[in-house]
Amino acid sequence: MFRMGKRLFENIISGPATRLKPREPFAGERGHIEIDISKCIFCMRCARECPCGCLTVNRAEGTWDIDQFECITCGVCASVCAKHAISMKGSYRKPAEHKKINIYKGTPPAKPNKVEAPAGGKA
Ligand code: SF4
Ligand code: SF4
C-alpha cells in the first residue's frame, strides 16, 4: 500500500511520460530514410541486407524503390551503403491515404570495359 501511494505521488509530481504530437524530433529518433540517388552506384547491397524486403534496386533500369509502409526504419540499409547515399531523417513521414512505392531514378555507372588480352598472353 505504501509503495502504491509512493508511486502515485511520484506520478503526480513528475512530468508526463508521453509526448504530445506534433512535437520536435528528439535525439536519436529514427523517423524515416531518404536516399540521395545521385550518390547511388546501384550495387544492390541495401536491398540484399534489408530485413523487410522493402527495397528494390534495378541496375538495368537505374531505379531504386522503397515501400515506406513496410520499412521498420532499422537503419541497416544506411549503415551498409558504402556511398552514404541513404540517411536516416529524424522526422516521421506525413500520413498517407494510399500505399505507394517511392521510385527514384538514377544513373548506374557504366561497366568498365574488359581489358583485352595482350597478344600471346593471358589478361
Ligand atoms: S543506396 Fe547504397 S547500398 Fe543501395 S544500391 Fe545504392 S550505393 Fe548500393
Ligand atoms: S531502414 Fe531497414 S527496413 Fe527500412 S529500408 Fe532500410 S534496411 Fe529496410
Side-chain angles (χ1 to χ4, degrees), residues 37-87:
I37 198 68
S38 66
K39 292 182 181 172
C40 179
I41 57 169
F42 296 87
C43 66
M44 303 184 186
R45 186 162 182 205
C46 53
R48 282 198 302 271
E49 302 279 345
C50 174
C52 300
C54 53
L55 294 178
T56 307
V57 181
N58 187 325
R59 187 182 170 91
E61 301 283 330
T63 54
W64 188 97
D65 309 349
I66 180 169
D67 183 346
Q68 295 270 15
F69 292 87
E70 297 294 329
C71 174
I72 58 170
T73 59
C74 64
V76 167
C77 55
S79 63
V80 299
C81 178
K83 293 294 175 183
H84 307 289
I86 304 173
S87 53

Side-chain angles (χ1 to χ4, degrees), residues 4-52:
M4 202 169 92
K6 184 171 175 271
R7 173 60 58 88
L8 188 62
F9 180 71
E10 285 171 356
N11 287 348
I12 290 171
I13 61 169
S14 63
T18 56
R19 294 180 174 89
L20 291 174
K21 285 192 171 184
R23 49 125 178 94
E24 292 298 313
F26 52 88
E29 183 171 308
R30 290 182 173 173
H32 69 283
I33 69 163
E34 283 188 2
I35 183 165
D36 179 349
I37 198 68
S38 66
K39 292 182 181 172
C40 179
I41 57 169
F42 296 87
C43 66
M44 303 184 186
R45 186 162 182 205
C46 53
R48 282 198 302 271
E49 302 279 345
C50 174
C52 300

